[in-house]
Amino acid sequence: MTTYSSRNEVPLHEKWNLTDIYADHCKWEEDYVLIEKLAEKLKHYDGKIHDGNSLYQYLKQSEELSFVLNKLYAYAMLKVDENTRETKAQSYLERAKQLSVRVSSAISFFMPFLLSLDEETLKGYIESEDGLEYFKEDLLESYRYKAHVLTKEQEEVLSQLGEALSAPSHTFGMINNADIKFGEVTGDNGEKVELTRGMYSKLIEDEDREKRRESYKAYYQPYMQLKNSIASTLSAAIKNNVTMARIRHYPSALEKALFGDKVPKEVYENLIQTAKNHIAPLHRYTRIRKEKLKVDELRQYDMSVPLVSGVKQVIPYEEAFGMMINALSPLGENYLSILNEFKDGRYIDVRETPGKRSGAYNLGVYGVHPFILLNHQDDLDSLFTLVHECGHGVHSMLSSEHQPQINARYSIFVAEVASTVNEVLLINYLLNNEKDAEIRKHLLNHFIDQFKGTFFTQVMFAEFEMKTHEMAEKGIPLNVEVFNQTYESLFREYNGDEIVFDDEVKFGWSRIPHFYRPFYVYKYATGFASAIHLATKILEGDQTTLHSYLEFLKSGSSDYPLELLKKTGVDLTTPFPIENSLKKFGVLVEEFSKL
């Protein structure tokens, strides 16, 4: 595995090229001034929109502002993520956030104004001004929010609270990425070294049980030390969600979170219930794990180690990229040429370096191209991560190319479909091209663990969010004890009774960044279930599904997520897609137990 002690050591072709957004900082500063001017200009429309033409002029300039602000913000964020310890980059991001709040404040009059018009007047404006046809769907969609928009003055106050309301998330991000110091583990030469996240993801899969135990304890050490601080940030984030839902007259925080995607809360509840109805294969897999590892007591630090020993595949980045190209060939030549463009054009930031943001993501920048952050470790997990994020990247690219700015950004709800279809195609390719029986078992084991992590674990997280928000809505105080009890009981319910709980288990909630984006994680599970269905059809050679899937990738947010999925043959308002994917899980566990 290649490790780098600083970003300067990483070869140029493995670092993204942010000059594609701004050639230099001067251009960033120029856009900063431009946005200030545009925001001021938009503010002057308050009380002055009286016909179709003035409405069109406002919307056109508003879209221009949003285009520039998106670029400016993305650049600052990507710079910070290269090195979260770099104070100069932090100040750019801080300024971008403040500017964003000022823009929100300047345009906060618009939604109350729009909803004060009766629908017939608005339709009259649209008919009288050709340019408004472009904005028509968005304007009429706004009426869906009528019951949840406040007066002009109240909206202005709320927009100014934006930065304060995001403080819990920001604080947790700082604790989790910049400040956290993990405990020490024993290095290869017998000396103590400080654990890093990259090391942890390796060590928790190590065949040496003592190494796993040591890294597990060291990893959870800071979270347990900071338990009260982190409980305070999470509690504040949940209370903010509940308060905002009340202020905006939603029945609950959950329904507020689902409203934008027009997802009925039954879809969320159905997901949790269906997963629980089909939990038996997961419990069976836990029992197989205990038997295979030959342990008297199965512990949480035994849950990630591959069950097929001696199969440590080293997959360098170049090789991983080639495997991805081969695995995704069923998606066609155009898809593959976009992937090659990602590599040749330096859209991907590959290596882990000190201070770099952990994890992986794709950020589509409209009018530029996607940027992908990785922390590549030359192993099977990293291959899957590459394939996953490139799925998001191609989705961003195709939606930007085929949709106007207004519809180019797709909902998170459909995002996970694009990434997971790629993962299913990859596992299929790897299994089909592997003759070695041990490696085949290893791959099957890996996919079962992947399924467990992307589906069952996310459903468990989704239920944790639902329960904690419901408590806050009932006025039950949220603290370390409440979070611990809730998390521990759910962990037991999902993972079965075979596991002996260390004290660390119940602190699992304290390390999850996604809890600061309310009711987000369930989309991984619905996306995963949808993707299993689609990838299976594509692999069967179903050309209709392949065509409708590629159209889906081009469709951005041109329709509501559930409707976009229905066009590909996936209907999430019924339990069938979830049940079908869970049947697949049962088959995988069955096959693995026979091997």
Side-chain angles (χ1 to χ4, degrees), residues 199-212:
M199 282 164 66
Y200 178 69
S201 66
K202 286 265 182 263
L203 288 169
I204 200 65
E205 295 180 358
D206 201 287
E207 286 170 17
D208 182 335
R209 195 179 194 210
E210 184 44 44
K211 277 190 178 175
R212 296 201 301 270

Side-chain angles (χ1 to χ4, degrees), residues 64-109:
E64 184 192 340
L65 183 151
S66 131
F67 175 76
V68 183
L69 180 61
N70 185 33
K71 271 178 32 174
L72 178 113
Y73 199 100
Y75 181 81
M77 185 184 118
L78 295 167
K79 279 307 272 183
V80 165
D81 289 349
E82 288 179 354
N83 185 354
T84 57
R85 301 167 185 174
E86 170 59 60
T87 51
K88 191 177 177 189
Q90 280 178 20
S91 73
Y92 275 97
L93 184 58
E94 211 40 59
R95 286 175 60 204
K97 283 180 178 172
Q98 288 165 0
L99 184 62
S100 180
V101 169
R102 276 156 53 199
V103 168
S104 292
S105 177
I107 61 175
S108 62
F109 76 89

Side-chain angles (χ1 to χ4, degrees), residues 60 95 98 199 287 326 385 528 531:
K60 194 173 72 159
R95 286 175 60 204
Q98 288 165 0
M199 282 164 66
R287 288 195 295 278
N326 292 334
T385 301
F528 191 81

Side-chain angles (χ1 to χ4, degrees), residues 276-301:
K276 287 181 163 186
N277 293 346
H278 295 78
I279 205 85
L282 182 59
H283 290 176
R284 182 173 180 208
Y285 177 59
T286 307
R287 288 195 295 278
I288 294 171
R289 179 170 279 283
K290 186 180 177 184
E291 285 161 26
K292 280 285 290 175
L293 293 176
K294 299 184 174 68
V295 291
D296 296 331
E297 295 180 338
L298 189 70
R299 305 265 176 173
Q300 195 186 0
Y301 50 78

Side-chain angles (χ1 to χ4, degrees), residues 464-482:
F464 177 83
E465 284 193 277
M466 190 168 78
K467 281 178 180 292
T468 49
H469 279 78
E470 282 170 358
M471 285 181 213
E473 280 159 353
K474 289 173 186 159
I476 297 167
L478 298 176
N479 52 39
V480 174
E481 292 313 311
V482 171

Side-chain angles (χ1 to χ4, degrees), residues 126-182:
I126 293 168
E127 277 165 28
S128 69
E129 180 66 43
D130 288 347
L132 284 176
E133 190 58 37
Y134 172 78
F135 297 100
K136 180 179 176 178
E137 276 183 34
D138 265 33
L139 288 169
L140 295 175
E141 157 74 358
S142 303
Y143 277 87
R144 219 165 57 83
Y145 287 85
K146 191 152 191 166
H148 309 294
V149 172
L150 310 176
T151 65
K152 187 173 88 174
E153 291 71 25
Q154 289 168 324
E155 286 293 338
E156 175 136 15
V157 170
L158 281 186
S159 68
Q160 288 175 4
L161 285 173
E163 210 175 341
L165 290 170
S166 66
S169 169
H170 182 66
T171 304
F172 178 76
M174 279 305 188
I175 291 172
N176 207 33
N177 291 313
D179 296 342
I180 210 155
K181 285 268 184 283
F182 296 107

Side-chain angles (χ1 to χ4, degrees), residues 481-497:
E481 292 313 311
V482 171
F483 290 140
N484 281 358
Q485 283 165 9
T486 308
Y487 192 87
E488 190 172 26
S489 72
L490 285 171
F491 193 92
R492 192 175 294 287
E493 190 179 350
Y494 280 81
N495 291 282
D497 293 327

